[in-house]
Amino acid sequence: MPVAVVILAAGQGSRMKSDLPKVLHKVAHAPLLVHAMRAAQSIEADRIVVVTGHGGAAVAKAATDYDESAVIVTQDEQLGTAHAVDQARDALADFGGDVIVLYGDTPFIREETLQDMLSARQSGAGVVVLGFDAAEPAKYGRLVLDEKGGLERIVEAKDASPEELAITLCNSGVICADRAIMFDLIKAVDNNNKSEEYYLTDLVGLARNKDLPCAAITCHEAETLGVNSRVDLAAAEATFQTRARLEAMENGTTMPAPETVHFAYDTYVGRDVVIEQNVVFGPDVTVESGAHIRAFSHLEGCHVSEAAVIGPYARLRPGAEIGGGAKVGNFVEVKAALVASGAKINHLSYVGDAEIGEDANIGAGTITCNYDGVFKHKTVIGARAFIGSNTALVAPVAIGDDAMTASGSVVTQDAGEGDLAIARAKQVNKTGLALRLMNKLRAAKAAQSKDN
Ligand code: UD1
Ligand code: CA
């Protein structure tokens, strides 16, 4: 059965106290909205419709940047959740299948949970709602069940009787129904309630009036966690990280201090990778099997191949491609550079816009001078080349295979295969001069203190 997902993302989120629309605040380097879109992708949704309102242009851009096939619709006035879903009516007019409604500010709904909802639909429920047992039901809508355990209706806290308020089974907001039925039912929703809003929750009572059976599926409360404030955002980050660390360990990653490792939403880590203390991943990082990421390293937009060793204290920036068994050591920054397999950059270097050949050795303090203030230029270093400590490579420049640079060189011209480039002042030794100079200075100081 085809499935479409409608993501509600029109609300302002005033409690964030932000100029940024709420759904664009990030957890694990991805906007909340992207987390909801990933949930939709996890069940292979055939169509994703995002309902925008506050900050609409920015929200639409984030949605289509992530998935260019996302359909954007606009809700000009926020008149309630049913009114929000109604904005997707035209975008789904030709769609035959189920529709699942998600919230853009609820990032943690799992694939398994959405599959459970679709299965309940397959088993004959007309409308399926995702509920959870709330520790503090306070403001949530309550799921009222009939004596057979079917879902009878949903009542919003504001409109609930004292008996209904005693119910702890709450509405997450996630709801699923056949497309045609959902939009038919929405037509019948009115705003005769305390909030004068068009409630999506009314679909359940309306379906029951038409003898359509409705069902509640439940999940853990943590999955339905919504973000309304900066405090919630930090809690969501913590929830994400806890889950990501567990997943990494379950997939074969060793982490001596998992609570200090921070993943991004899309970090990929292979088997038998070791990630030491205080490692931080930005977006778009892949670490292949057997690699070792040592303490206090920061990685983003990079690829680390099998058995490479990174850090401690290394920084891999976007475009860093580290080959198998290569080493990037302490206080080394690599950006937009290919470091071929077996190459070593062990200490205190900046390597940017470069290609480092296989088994090359880059000495301590080597700098690629890649930027002239306007343009970026490339440095190419051949296989097995040996770059002496404290070499400045003024790009564009190329060093051949098996070539060397003398330490302290400022290299401005290419060096051929097997050549030694020496580009530093020649050393001159003045016999005994150091001693004579020191004696003279000490004598001058002694004369000075006698005068005073
Ligand atoms: C809603 C549910 C409630 C449930 C709770 C779970 C209704 C009537 N109530 O209440 O049963 O327990 O979520 O968090 O559905 N939105 C729009 N346009 C609108 C209104 C809302 O896009 O016109 C979006 C909001 O940005 C938000 C989501 O829909 O992401 C939920 O809206 P919100 O106002 O937070 O609903 P609640 O009152 O919390
Ligand atoms: Ca809410």
Side-chain angles (χ1 to χ4, degrees):
M1 177 71 87
V3 54
V5 172
V6 176
I7 300 176
L8 305 191
Q12 180 171 24
S14 48
R15 284 170 55 203
M16 295 299 286
K17 309 236 166 78
S18 177
D19 294 334
L20 195 66
K22 175 164 76 174
V23 294
L24 297 190
H25 283 266
K26 289 179 178 177
V27 164
H29 296 279
L32 292 170
L33 176 66
V34 164
H35 289 269
M37 292 175 77
R38 284 167 73 85
Q41 287 174 337
S42 76
I43 52 162
E44 282 157 24
D46 300 276
R47 209 175 291 181
I48 296 177
V49 183
V50 180
V51 181
T52 66
H54 284 279
V59 174
K61 184 176 183 307
T64 50
D65 279 354
Y66 181 68
D67 180 348
E68 58 183 10
S69 71
V71 182
I72 309 298
V73 299
T74 311
Q75 184 192 28
D76 291 323
E77 265 186 295
Q78 279 66 60
L79 303 180
T81 44
H83 179 260
V85 176
D86 201 29
Q87 308 312 305
R89 179 182 293 274
D90 291 345
L92 292 172
D94 62 339
F95 186 81
D98 281 347
V99 173
I100 294 183
V101 177
L102 298 178
Y103 292 169
D105 60 4
T106 305
F108 297 129
I109 308 286
R110 288 158 58 235
E111 177 193 347
E112 294 81 350
T113 301
L114 296 176
Q115 295 293 4
D116 285 349
M117 294 183 74
L118 293 170
S119 306
R121 276 275 305 122
Q122 297 296 308
S123 326
V127 176
V128 180
V129 169
L130 180 63
F132 63 100
D133 226 345
E136 286 173 49
K139 63 193 190 316
Y140 292 113
R142 308 297 206 273
L143 302 190
V144 182
L145 304 183
D146 60 26
E147 55 293 348
K148 288 184 202 139
L151 183 58
E152 193 171 279
R153 61 202 164 81
I154 306 177
V155 58
E156 288 303 293
K158 273 188 191 166
D159 307 299
S161 67
E163 299 82 66
E164 288 164 338
L165 283 175
I167 299 173
T168 57
L169 183 60
C170 291
N171 176 29
S172 70
V174 183
I175 189 167
C176 176
D178 167 72
R179 193 274 307 169
I181 289 174
M182 184 179 287
F183 286 101
D184 265 1
L185 293 172
I186 286 175
K187 273 188 189 155
V189 174
D190 62 32
N191 65 351
N192 299 328
N193 51 54
K194 288 261 165 63
S195 313
E196 296 186 344
E197 279 185 15
Y198 296 87
Y199 289 164
L200 190 61
T201 45
D202 284 355
L203 295 199
V204 173
L206 291 164
R208 288 293 292 251
N209 289 344
K210 292 188 166 186
D211 288 330
L212 264 180
C214 300
I217 292 291
T218 56
C219 70
H220 196 276
E221 182 164 5
E223 228 179 290
T224 70
L225 183 101
V227 173
N228 292 305
S229 66
R230 308 274 179 162
V231 174
D232 291 348
L233 191 68
E237 182 74 37
T239 301
F240 177 93
Q241 295 301 339
T242 303
R243 207 192 261 187
R245 290 161 189 156
L246 274 176
E247 228 168 76
M249 290 186 282
E250 278 163 14
N251 291 336
T253 302
T254 294
M255 290 189 284
E259 70 283 5
T260 67
V261 174
H262 292 258
F263 290 103
Y265 72 105
D266 60 350
T267 307
Y268 173 86
V269 180
R271 282 164 73 99
D272 290 318
V273 167
V274 178
I275 304 174
E276 291 184 359
Q277 293 83 346
N278 295 292
V279 170
V280 176
F281 292 95
D284 193 21
V285 176
T286 299
V287 179
E288 304 279 2
S289 305
H292 191 149
I293 314 297
R294 304 203 54 200
F296 295 97
S297 294
H298 188 282
L299 296 82
E300 62 184 314
C302 62
H303 178 221
V304 177
S305 302
E306 278 186 29
V309 182
I310 308 300
Y313 298 98
R315 178 162 187 217
L316 299 186
R317 290 175 52 207
E321 168 74 44
I322 312 299
K327 288 192 175 149
V328 176
N330 39 257
F331 308 108
V332 172
E333 173 181 343
V334 180
K335 182 218 76 167
L338 171 70
V339 178
S341 59
K344 294 190 183 102
I345 315 171
N346 275 334
H347 340 261
L348 298 158
S349 283
Y350 171 63
V351 172
D353 303 301
E355 275 173 36
I356 312 290
E358 272 179 34
D359 298 318
N361 191 313
I362 309 300
T366 296
I367 305 291
T368 54
C369 310
N370 60 329
Y371 187 46
D372 58 18
V374 179
F375 295 104
K376 298 278 169 70
H377 300 283
K378 193 159 183 185
T379 302
V380 179
I381 294 171
R384 299 167 304 280
F386 187 99
I387 305 301
S389 292
N390 209 30
T391 296
L393 296 151
V394 182
V397 71
I399 307 295
D401 290 352
D402 301 294
M404 290 175 86
T405 68
S407 76
S409 288
V410 177
V411 177
T412 55
Q413 293 164 43
D414 292 357
E417 207 179 305
D419 291 352
L420 168 62
I422 307 174
R424 64 187 185 202
K426 209 173 182 119
Q427 182 169 331
V428 181
N429 282 352
K430 307 279 187 188
T431 312
L433 183 56
L435 199 57
R436 290 201 303 280
L437 193 63
M438 277 318 243
N439 287 340
K440 198 170 152 189
L441 291 172
R442 283 184 191 121
K445 191 173 183 186
Q448 225 175 40
S449 46
K450 209 185 275 165
D451 288 351
N452 294 334

